[in-house]
Amino acid sequence: MSNDYGFNSDDSPNKTNSHLLLPSPIITRRNRTASTSERALGNPLETGKIKSFCREKGHGFVTPERGGEDLFVHISDIEGEYVPLPGDDVTYRLCPIPPKFEKNQAVHVRIVHLTREKHLKWDEPPPIHP
């Protein structure tokens, strides 16, 4: 339980100082500025493959077809009705990541070719593993 000062009032070892938390450096569609979105839309469509994607964590990585570093992709930037799986062919645009705008993440990600594995839709519950 926390009080108005941002501290937990219990004696647990997991006390937090919520007023000391740093903002997340991950830029999602919800907190991307209009100028950053415009910059991304001005970039050409790129192609690649999903390297990994974790629905529970809300992110994954795309391997660009042209080569180079794998690109981060946030769950809010996946467009379409299916949850991506490794090996899916995708198109995306590059979006620079602040503060220095030296790296990019994949945005406006669309699956253009599904792997043969069964794909879940976003509104379907994830499978329960024992």
Side-chain angles (χ1 to χ4, degrees), residues 51-123:
K51 178 179 182 177
S52 63
F53 189 82
C54 180
R55 183 178 182 176
E56 289 77 23
K57 291 181 181 179
H59 69 272
F61 294 91
V62 173
T63 301
E65 192 173 272
R66 60 175 165 67
E69 284 186 29
D70 291 338
L71 301 166
F72 176 83
V73 60
H74 189 265
I75 193 170
S76 67
D77 289 308
I78 304 290
E79 298 175 358
E81 62 181 324
Y82 293 104
V83 178
L85 291 175
D88 287 342
D89 291 324
V90 294
T91 61
Y92 59 90
R93 294 184 190 275
L94 295 175
C95 180
I97 302 173
K100 295 182 181 180
F101 299 104
E102 293 173 345
K103 292 190 174 196
N104 293 296
Q105 72 183 56
V107 298
H108 302 290
V109 178
R110 287 185 185 267
I111 301 172
V112 292
H113 186 265
L114 301 169
T115 60
R116 293 182 184 251
E117 293 179 56
K118 180 181 179 340
H119 284 68
L120 294 176
K121 292 185 177 185
W122 290 107
D123 59 357

Side-chain angles (χ1 to χ4, degrees), residues 16-71:
T16 60
N17 299 326
S18 62
H19 66 285
L20 298 177
L21 295 177
L22 296 174
S24 173
I26 297 171
I27 305 301
T28 68
R29 180 178 288 183
R30 292 181 300 278
N31 63 8
R32 191 174 300 130
T33 64
S35 62
T36 304
S37 293
E38 288 174 22
R39 207 178 296 165
L41 284 172
N43 290 333
L45 275 177
E46 306 261 345
T47 57
K49 286 189 182 291
I50 296 291
K51 178 179 182 177
S52 63
F53 189 82
C54 180
R55 183 178 182 176
E56 289 77 23
K57 291 181 181 179
H59 69 272
F61 294 91
V62 173
T63 301
E65 192 173 272
R66 60 175 165 67
E69 284 186 29
D70 291 338
L71 301 166

